[in-house]
Amino acid sequence: MSERSAEFTEREDEGVEAQPAPLADVEPAVSPARPSPPPFVPFPAWKAAIYALSSVLLGLTQGLGLNLITANLTNLQAYFGATQQEVSWLPAAYFATNMTGTLLMFKIRNQFGMRRFAEIGIIVYVGLVIAHMFSNDLRSALVVRAMMGVAAAPLSTLAFFYMLEWLPPAKKMSIGICFGMVGSSLALPLARVISPSLMQIGEWHGLYLMEVGLALVALAVIFLVPITHPPRQKSFDSDDLISFPLLAMGFGSIAIVLSMGRSYWWFEAPWLGVLAAIGIASLVLLALVELHRKQPMIDLRWLLTPDMLTFTGALIAVRILLSEQSVGAVGLFTVLGLGNDQLVPLFAIISVVTFIATYWLTTVIKPQRTPYLHLLALTMVAVAAWMDGHSSVTSRPEQFFVSQALMGFAAAIFLPPAMLHGFSRAMAKGPQYILSFLTVFLTTQTLGGLLGSAAMTTFVAVREQFHSNVIAQGVTLLDPLVAQRVQAYGGAYSKVLTDPALRDAKGLALLGQSATQQANVLAYNDLFMTIFAATIATIAVLLIHMLHGALKNRAPQAQTSAA
């Protein structure tokens, strides 16, 4: 352990506060007589680079732990010998525990200190990642994924704090917020880029070996690259024994319903309705408990103010629209029979654009510019959706380079300003509102993403049935063109099938597959154009909100001038 690390641990154990961590000004001190923080001492360039790279590494470790599995569900399905429904439980199990785990870890960090939080959290995470290597059946893999949802929660927080550690106070709210999230933002496209190589190295073991390697490097980072300790405070009380189980049951149930509803279909599986009722009832009971607590974990009265409701609604709406890339584009490529190896150039471009957008954002981000940045992001989403809405069965990833680059840029410049805007409002209210804001942010991003995925996949399924019926009505063997197409498809089997009836039957089956593929492409075009229309409507609402805010701010100035 380094000298700084040893000194840090000794000071923490003696109860002496080290240099306050970034954002410590928003956390209450342990005692009222808190000494003023020492002046910021700039880090040498090499040390600043170590902390910045450590932040990106931790963010990638957390993000790839989820996205490597999500990007390769088909391959895992073959390994486990499971159906598509069964293997879909792997990401569902992760999401069911991750949000509650993140909130729990936030309170643990506040009460027991950053260093112990980091060391214990990363050791547990490494143990679970290694356990994945021995998960040879789907049931054990599901258990491990559910546990990783909690164990991975500290990594995103640590990534944020490592980025803030080396920055001067003036840069914490620009470079810190933007690049503190860049690792997790890059994880989604990078998972698609590296998956083919990992699968060639060791099939599904290659994915888990990557997770193990990243986890072990992150373990070394936590122990060798220390960060300063925010002042500790009492965060837990006896009421949490009621609130946290209700929170876990509510969010977990809703996450499972949104993740699995499309696979089992919403009205076909009774257990989906039962689970949804349990989730809603748990959240209602949680609200009742929190409203009667002296020190609520989540301040619902603040969250239900018009300003916060508007903020929450905007986050959910835009998060759903941003699912166009992960659900719409990827789903279309799957329908067209394209695998991850054919999508590497596309997602490599998205990765580069995401990094460039993050860098650009650090030069312009300010709380008062948040509406304008969101307007720019929404405009890019609208343009990208309109471009994608003209796809065909002959479309290939090269036709999506520009549109998906725009979508990646929009996603990169939307979240940091939203976080800065909400975090500034929480700090203005007081440090006790930080956890409430964190709850809103996580809820909108996690459940918003799941809701977007569920809504879009359901929409595509319904529209595919519609287009299939329309196409089927026009397919008849009495049509000479249809008969010619059937013979052409059957002719491909002339060397192995000598019976003309069998060839015609095979040709008719291939024609049906082609019609289904065409119906799916048309359904995705409908989805893209619906996203385009919804984005235009969102832009209109945002412009009205901006105009209302400008008029509201101008009224007091006019009264002052008149006086």
Side-chain angles (χ1 to χ4, degrees):
M1 185 179 295
S2 65
E3 294 181 3
R4 180 178 177 181
S5 176
E7 178 186 359
F8 172 86
T9 307
E10 180 181 354
R11 294 181 69 184
E12 181 179 346
D13 292 339
E14 292 174 356
V16 179
E17 293 179 2
Q19 178 184 350
L23 306 184
D25 54 327
V26 302
E27 301 186 67
V30 175
S31 62
R34 177 183 176 183
S36 0
F40 175 78
V41 179
F43 280 43
W46 63 269
K47 186 178 288 188
I50 289 176
Y51 276 89
L53 291 175
S54 298
S55 170
V56 175
L57 172 70
L58 291 170
L60 285 174
T61 302
Q62 188 269 338
L64 289 176
L66 169 64
N67 290 294
L68 281 177
I69 300 300
T70 305
N72 293 276
L73 286 180
T74 303
N75 296 318
L76 292 174
Q77 177 184 344
Y79 170 76
F80 289 121
T83 65
Q84 184 179 3
Q85 287 180 337
E86 291 170 341
V87 80
S88 297
W89 279 97
L90 288 173
Y94 183 95
F95 283 122
T97 59
N98 180 252
M99 186 159 49
T100 303
T102 302
L103 298 178
L104 176 63
M105 292 301 172
F106 182 86
K107 298 194 75 170
I108 290 175
R109 177 187 69 80
N110 279 353
Q111 180 143 339
F112 299 103
M114 173 64 78
R115 184 164 187 82
R116 293 185 179 87
F117 164 80
E119 292 176 347
I120 296 174
I122 193 62
I123 289 174
V124 172
Y125 180 78
V126 169
L128 287 174
V129 172
I130 293 175
H132 245 317
M133 297 296 297
F134 304 96
S135 302
N136 295 319
D137 62 275
L138 185 61
R139 186 172 300 177
S140 60
L142 286 174
V143 174
V144 174
R145 294 307 295 176
M147 296 173 65
M148 283 188 66
V150 178
L155 295 179
S156 56
T157 302
L158 291 173
F160 195 69
F161 274 91
Y162 267 91
M163 186 60 68
L164 295 175
E165 177 76 11
W166 64 275
L167 290 167
K171 299 294 183 180
K172 293 187 189 301
M173 292 293 112
S174 55
I175 296 177
I177 283 185
C178 295
F179 275 96
M181 304 171 65
V182 74
S184 55
S185 299
L186 288 172
L188 192 150
L190 284 179
R192 299 276 176 179
V193 173
I194 65 177
S195 287
S197 299
L198 295 177
M199 295 299 295
Q200 290 178 3
I201 292 173
E203 296 183 350
W204 71 275
H205 285 289
L207 303 178
Y208 290 164
L209 283 173
M210 182 69 178
E211 285 192 75
V212 171
L214 286 172
L216 290 175
V217 175
L219 178 67
V221 165
I222 296 299
F223 280 91
L224 298 179
V225 186
I227 54 178
T228 51
H229 171 59
R232 283 173 285 180
Q233 65 183 82
K234 187 178 184 301
S235 297
F236 289 98
D237 57 42
S238 58
D239 291 335
D240 288 329
L241 297 176
I242 302 175
S243 293
F244 263 108
L246 291 173
L247 183 71
M249 189 176 299
F251 282 153
S253 299
I254 298 298
I256 291 175
V257 170
L258 293 177
S259 299
M260 305 305 300
R262 166 64 182 87
S263 297
Y264 288 88
W265 202 246
W266 307 99
F267 304 110
E268 298 296 326
W271 64 267
L272 285 172
V274 173
L275 199 60
I278 292 174
I280 294 172
S282 299
L283 294 179
V284 170
L285 290 175
L286 173 66
L288 293 175
V289 171
E290 291 296 302
L291 288 173
H292 291 85
R293 288 181 62 171
K294 293 182 179 179
Q295 295 182 338
M297 179 175 65
I298 304 171
D299 195 318
L300 293 176
R301 291 182 176 85
W302 176 57
L303 297 182
L304 293 176
T305 58
D307 187 51
M308 286 305 298
L309 287 176
T310 302
F311 176 72
T312 303
L315 284 178
I316 293 176
V318 178
R319 182 64 185 87
I320 291 174
L321 295 175
L322 290 174
S323 298
E324 192 268 3
Q325 184 172 85
S326 59
V327 179
V330 172
L332 176 62
F333 295 143
T334 303
V335 166
L336 295 176
L338 303 178
N340 285 333
D341 53 338
Q342 295 165 292
L343 304 180
V344 169
L346 173 63
F347 282 98
I349 290 173
I350 294 173
S351 301
V352 173
V353 169
T354 299
F355 186 85
I356 293 173
T358 302
Y359 176 78
W360 174 80
L361 186 62
T362 62
T363 64
V364 299
I365 187 172
K366 289 182 180 179
Q368 62 269 26
R369 293 177 179 170
T370 296
Y372 302 99
L373 291 170
H374 285 175
L375 184 62
L376 176 61
L378 287 170
T379 303
M380 290 183 173
V381 171
V383 173
W386 184 84
M387 294 175 66
D388 292 343
H390 297 81
S391 304
S392 68
V393 292
T394 60
S395 296
R396 290 298 179 264
E398 291 77 12
Q399 281 86 56
F400 290 80
F401 282 172
V402 175
S403 63
Q404 292 306 304
L406 288 173
M407 190 65 67
F409 199 101
I413 66 173
F414 173 77
L415 285 181
M419 186 173 185
L420 175 61
H421 177 77
F423 197 79
S424 300
R425 290 179 178 272
M427 287 193 297
K429 295 290 292 183
Q432 68 273 20
Y433 291 87
I434 299 298
L435 186 59
S436 297
F437 164 71
L438 183 63
T439 304
V440 171
F441 193 79
L442 290 174
T443 301
T444 56
Q445 297 311 298
T446 303
L447 292 186
L450 292 175
L451 180 60
S453 176
M456 290 183 184
T457 53
T458 302
F459 178 88
V460 168
V462 172
R463 294 301 296 174
E464 185 274 330
Q465 290 296 314
F466 170 79
H467 288 296
S468 291
N469 290 334
V470 173
I471 293 174
Q473 291 175 5
V475 177
T476 172
L477 293 177
L478 298 177
D479 187 337
L481 293 177
V482 173
Q484 184 181 5
R485 182 64 62 88
V486 170
Q487 290 178 358
Y489 282 142
Y493 295 88
S494 59
K495 294 183 180 180
V496 293
L497 294 176
T498 57
D499 187 345
L502 290 178
R503 287 201 303 267
D504 289 344
K506 194 66 177 178
L508 190 60
L510 291 176
L511 180 62
Q513 292 177 9
S514 177
T516 300
Q517 185 182 62
Q518 182 66 53
N520 274 288
V521 171
L522 291 174
Y524 275 102
N525 282 342
D526 291 345
L527 173 64
F528 294 138
M529 297 310 293
T530 301
I531 293 174
F532 168 74
T535 306
I536 294 298
T538 305
I539 290 174
V541 172
L542 178 58
L543 289 173
I544 293 173
H545 180 73
M546 292 170 63
L547 179 61
H548 178 265
L551 293 176
K552 187 177 179 180
N553 292 333
R554 187 174 296 179
Q557 297 177 2
Q559 292 177 1
T560 303
S561 301

